[in-house]
Amino acid sequence: MFVEQIKVGEMENFCYILACESTGRAALIDPGDEAERLLACLNEQELQLQYILCTHFHPDHTLDVPDLREKTGASVAMHEADIPLYEDTVDLTLHDGDTIPIGEEIQVRVIHTPGHTPGGVCYLTDGRLFTGDTLFVGDSGRTDLPYGHRPTLGASIRKIMELPEDTMILPGHDYGPTPTSTLLQEKRQNINAEEYGFLKP
Ligand SMILES: [Zn+2]
Ligand SMILES: [Zn+2]
């Protein structure tokens, strides 16, 4: 499995390339900006874009999605609860527990984590959790934007904290001291751990 973290745009957004090395099939998670650069990265690795996986509908994560969809023919996937809030086309409606196959090697599990938006999701594959704006390194997503709900986000984060502690988290923004982290590290260091009830002393 090939995974690459790419910072795009002006809001420290992280986009990810996830690819099956035996088939060259790939997914982009949250290609919010710099579509041309992302296409160049895919071409350089000789990857064929199969899916565009959105963690949620916000423009900093989805701005270049329609352009990439048109240029590559990839299917855009989003959770059903965010689709009414998103103004462009979605090809694949996601639900909690869905599995998305990428090539032969990769199965991506959809975990519904509402609170930042109603249809926010995390994507889990092979010990890696792509957390969007649900959980950052050292912090968690805003709940003061329209459709945000703080107790719901707390419940979502407690749900993902039930995964193995060595699960690597790959967030939607570079807001922390390091670009990635683990659930264990977040249980110990996240600023919201006590409030949301997942603190591990
Ligand atoms: Zn957001
Ligand atoms: Zn964001």
Side-chain angles (χ1 to χ4, degrees):
M1 180 165 69
F2 172 87
V3 180
E4 190 173 352
Q5 181 183 56
I6 303 169
K7 202 190 282 190
V8 298
E10 289 166 10
M11 293 176 70
E12 308 283 313
N13 278 78
F14 278 137
C15 167
Y16 296 91
I17 299 176
L18 191 57
C20 165
E21 287 172 291
S22 54
T23 60
R25 294 282 191 134
L28 282 175
I29 299 175
D30 287 358
D33 205 346
E34 303 187 48
E36 291 305 323
R37 187 172 144 229
L38 297 173
L39 285 171
C41 290
L42 292 167
N43 286 335
E44 202 175 291
Q45 306 284 340
E46 298 182 3
L47 298 173
Q48 189 198 344
L49 191 63
Q50 187 178 8
Y51 289 111
I52 297 169
L53 306 178
C54 304
T55 61
H56 64 298
F57 79 94
H58 282 160
D60 57 315
H61 300 254
T62 56
L63 195 65
D64 277 2
V65 166
D67 186 30
L68 285 161
R69 178 180 182 271
E70 195 180 305
K71 285 179 174 151
T72 64
S75 297
V76 175
M78 187 179 288
H79 188 273
E80 60 176 342
D82 265 18
I83 292 175
L85 307 172
Y86 178 62
E87 290 177 358
D88 282 288
T89 308
V90 172
D91 303 288
L92 184 63
T93 302
L94 301 179
H95 312 89
D96 185 54
D98 283 354
T99 300
I100 305 160
I102 300 165
E104 292 167 352
E105 297 169 2
I106 303 176
Q107 299 282 343
V108 179
R109 196 171 112 211
V110 177
I111 303 175
H112 185 207
T113 53
H116 176 68
T117 66
V121 297
C122 295
Y123 294 108
L124 178 68
T125 185
D126 196 27
R128 293 177 176 86
L129 187 69
F130 299 87
T131 53
D133 285 359
T134 293
L135 185 65
F136 302 125
V137 177
D139 206 344
S140 59
R142 290 176 64 172
T143 53
D144 58 331
L145 299 168
Y147 315 108
H149 191 253
R150 199 158 185 86
T152 303
L153 184 65
S156 291
I157 298 175
R158 285 195 298 279
K159 180 165 99 173
I160 59 178
M161 286 297 170
E162 289 170 16
L163 294 167
E165 288 186 326
D166 62 352
T167 302
M168 183 179 183
I169 73 151
L170 299 106
H173 290 268
D174 188 13
Y175 287 163
T178 52
T180 66
S181 175
T182 62
L183 290 182
L184 177 60
Q185 201 176 319
E186 294 313 309
K187 284 180 186 180
R188 289 179 170 153
Q189 297 175 6
N190 194 284
I191 197 168
N192 296 310
E194 192 164 2
E195 178 195 344
Y196 285 152
F198 60 84
L199 182 69
K200 179 168 176 160

